Amino acid sequence: MADLTHRRILQIAVPVVLANITIPILGLVDTGVIGQLGEAAPIGAVGIGAIILTALYWIFGFLRMGTTGFAAQAIGAGDSAEHAAILIRALGIAALGGLSIFVLQRPLFAAGFWMSPASVEVESLARSYMSIRVWSAPFLISTFAITGWLVAAERTRDILVIQLVMNGLNIGLDLLFVPVFGWGVQGVAGATVIAEIAGCALGFWYCRAAFQAAPWKDRARLFDPAKLKRFASVNADILVRSLFLQAIFMSFLFFGARYGDTRLAANHILLQFLSITAYAMDGFAFAAESFVGQALGARNRAAFRRAAMMVSKWCFGTGALLSVAFLLAGGLIIDAMTTAPDVRTAARDYLIYMALTPLISAAPFMLDGIFIGATRTRDMRSMMALSTAIYFAAALTLMPLAANHGLWIALLISFAARGATLAWKYPALERSVGS
């Protein structure tokens, strides 16, 4: 295992941050081109359709994290055959997952509209949009697995290229299919399908060495019951952990709604700051997953500790910079997001909480990466459950006392709890890594 340097950390982190930046740009273009039709229904249809599909695809987001941990450990152990087999197993799950969504699309879409009701016109257009986009489900979910495998190998530049090609093609086809061809909602959906298939194809090309390796011929390795059980167990833990995390954010929005439209809008705007934080921190969390996994695979405790400490410095440094930036420029960012005077004023009232968030959330971001790389997902799941309970207890206690301020304090407490509980588990994790 090569010596870990700050340069290697940045070589993983920076491409991930740049790739993340392309995501909101695509969302703006999707909304912009459909908005040129001059009607509200198509905008709502694309919005609600994308939300429902994203929620369905997100169920399989565990493939990205689980694949990274196992693949990094295989690299650290010098087991190239197992490294290739991990990708093929993950792609098999991705294909089954995508095909399941395609086959079950009618009841799944019906459930989505039951939870997010819309007008007849919007629902009709959304169903049309979704019935096209669902064709790319196996390809998009496969990209989750490919991304995880590339992260483990420190090949995040390839991930950046995949995102640039996928989102760039999507934007170009949006501009062709909607304003030029006049295909409306169906055009936006078709552009996304073509782009997601193209992105997956490029990912397969980047991973071509895995398909040339022995696992294709070694069915016993590919379908090893113990390894399949371990892979399933880790990914199930990640899924449960992610559901707890979603419960925190969804309840935050629902709780905030009781304080009126203005505060609800202010909360929504401030949560965009959290997206910025996630885009920046993800790069270092990915670096932790790769380096920690490789060190564990090599049974090298010193390398494990060095990876954890070096990535931690970058996470906390980035968090501190973002906190200062939000504190100093937060008002300008709020003004750029809304022109409503009452919403601007309300958002400023709660800006201090968002300014503290990057610093407080640095620990859970960093520790998530460490525990994912080590595939110690049972600890992640259990500590996330405990942190969720702490959050709800804090919210239900503080909201009657301090209304929306109490809700924001509870959210900060949830970040602190996630970091503290995983930090509590960290020493035992480090002791378990060889010598």
Side-chain angles (χ1 to χ4, degrees):
M1 183 176 173
D3 289 339
L4 179 58
T5 63
H6 291 293
R7 181 184 179 88
R8 281 181 68 194
I9 292 173
L10 292 176
Q11 284 176 337
I12 288 183
V14 172
V16 172
V17 174
L18 295 176
N20 284 342
I21 291 172
T22 68
I23 297 172
I25 294 173
L26 173 60
L28 289 172
V29 174
D30 274 352
T31 303
V33 296
I34 210 69
Q36 298 306 306
L37 298 177
E39 300 176 28
I43 299 175
V46 170
I48 196 170
I51 288 171
I52 292 172
L53 285 173
T54 298
L56 291 173
Y57 298 156
W58 170 86
I59 293 171
F60 296 92
F62 60 77
L63 278 175
R64 206 287 302 159
M65 292 180 277
T67 302
T68 298
F70 283 113
Q73 290 175 33
I75 292 171
D79 191 344
S80 58
E82 181 61 18
H83 182 225
I86 288 164
L87 175 63
I88 296 168
R89 291 189 201 112
L91 288 173
I93 294 172
L96 289 173
L99 290 172
S100 297
I101 290 175
F102 182 82
V103 171
L104 299 173
Q105 61 181 278
R106 286 184 179 274
L108 290 174
F109 293 173
F113 286 114
W114 176 75
M115 291 185 288
S116 303
S119 68
V120 173
E121 183 181 8
V122 168
E123 182 172 332
S124 176
L125 287 171
R127 285 184 181 276
S128 177
Y129 168 86
M130 294 161 67
S131 67
I132 295 171
R133 266 206 64 184
V134 76
W135 283 89
S136 64
F139 301 95
L140 181 62
I141 296 173
S142 292
T143 305
F144 297 163
I146 290 169
T147 298
W149 196 77
L150 292 173
V151 167
E154 304 179 42
R155 293 172 57 185
T156 53
R157 288 185 182 180
D158 293 344
I159 296 170
L160 174 58
V161 174
I162 291 170
Q163 286 294 322
L164 289 174
V165 168
M166 189 161 61
N167 293 336
L169 180 60
N170 199 335
I171 289 170
L173 292 176
D174 272 347
L175 297 173
L176 177 66
F177 290 170
V178 181
V180 178
F181 292 171
W183 291 349
V185 167
Q186 292 85 354
V188 172
T192 303
V193 168
I194 294 171
E196 288 172 348
I197 293 174
C200 182
L202 180 58
F204 269 81
W205 186 80
Y206 278 136
C207 299
R208 61 192 181 279
F211 306 116
Q212 299 166 354
W216 278 117
K217 305 171 184 177
D218 189 353
R219 293 176 61 87
R221 175 187 286 273
L222 269 179
F223 300 105
D224 182 303
K227 290 177 179 176
L228 287 174
K229 182 179 180 181
R230 172 68 174 148
F231 193 79
S233 174
V234 164
N235 285 308
D237 287 337
I238 294 172
L239 174 59
V240 173
R241 169 260 181 195
S242 298
L243 289 172
F244 279 123
L245 186 59
Q246 282 296 103
I248 290 176
F249 287 114
M250 293 299 293
S251 66
F252 180 86
L253 292 172
F254 292 148
F255 287 152
R258 68 178 63 182
Y259 299 117
D261 292 346
T262 298
R263 287 184 177 83
L264 178 62
N267 287 355
H268 178 70
I269 286 172
L270 290 174
L271 283 177
Q272 306 315 303
F273 288 64
L274 187 58
S275 296
I276 296 170
T277 301
Y279 290 152
M281 295 290 196
D282 266 354
F284 298 110
F286 281 21
E289 293 171 24
S290 178
F291 297 134
V292 163
Q294 291 179 35
L296 190 146
R299 310 301 296 170
N300 187 331
R301 186 183 299 173
F304 186 99
R305 182 184 299 116
R306 179 172 172 79
M309 293 301 103
M310 288 183 68
V311 174
S312 296
K313 291 177 182 178
W314 279 102
C315 276
F316 281 104
T318 301
L321 286 174
L322 285 173
S323 288
V324 172
F326 290 166
L327 193 61
L328 296 177
L332 296 175
I333 298 172
I334 290 168
D335 291 347
M337 290 185 179
T338 179
T339 58
D342 55 342
V343 176
R344 285 179 171 180
T345 300
R348 280 175 166 80
D349 288 342
Y350 307 107
L351 179 60
I352 183 61
Y353 304 117
M354 203 60 252
L356 291 171
T357 296
L359 195 56
I360 296 174
S361 65
F365 268 105
M366 175 266 297
L367 286 162
D368 276 352
I370 291 172
F371 278 76
I372 288 168
T375 57
R376 288 287 286 268
T377 51
R378 181 174 298 179
D379 286 340
M380 285 182 65
R381 179 203 64 197
S382 300
M383 296 306 100
M384 190 70 241
L386 177 57
S387 299
T388 303
I390 292 171
Y391 159 76
F392 278 105
L396 295 175
T397 301
L398 294 172
M399 285 191 300
L401 301 174
N404 201 47
H405 286 282
L407 179 59
W408 273 104
I409 293 170
L411 185 62
L412 293 183
I413 289 173
S414 77
F415 291 130
R418 286 172 57 200
T421 53
L422 285 176
W424 175 47
K425 289 288 186 179
Y426 175 80
L429 170 59
E430 187 179 288
R431 287 194 300 269
S432 71
V433 184
S435 59

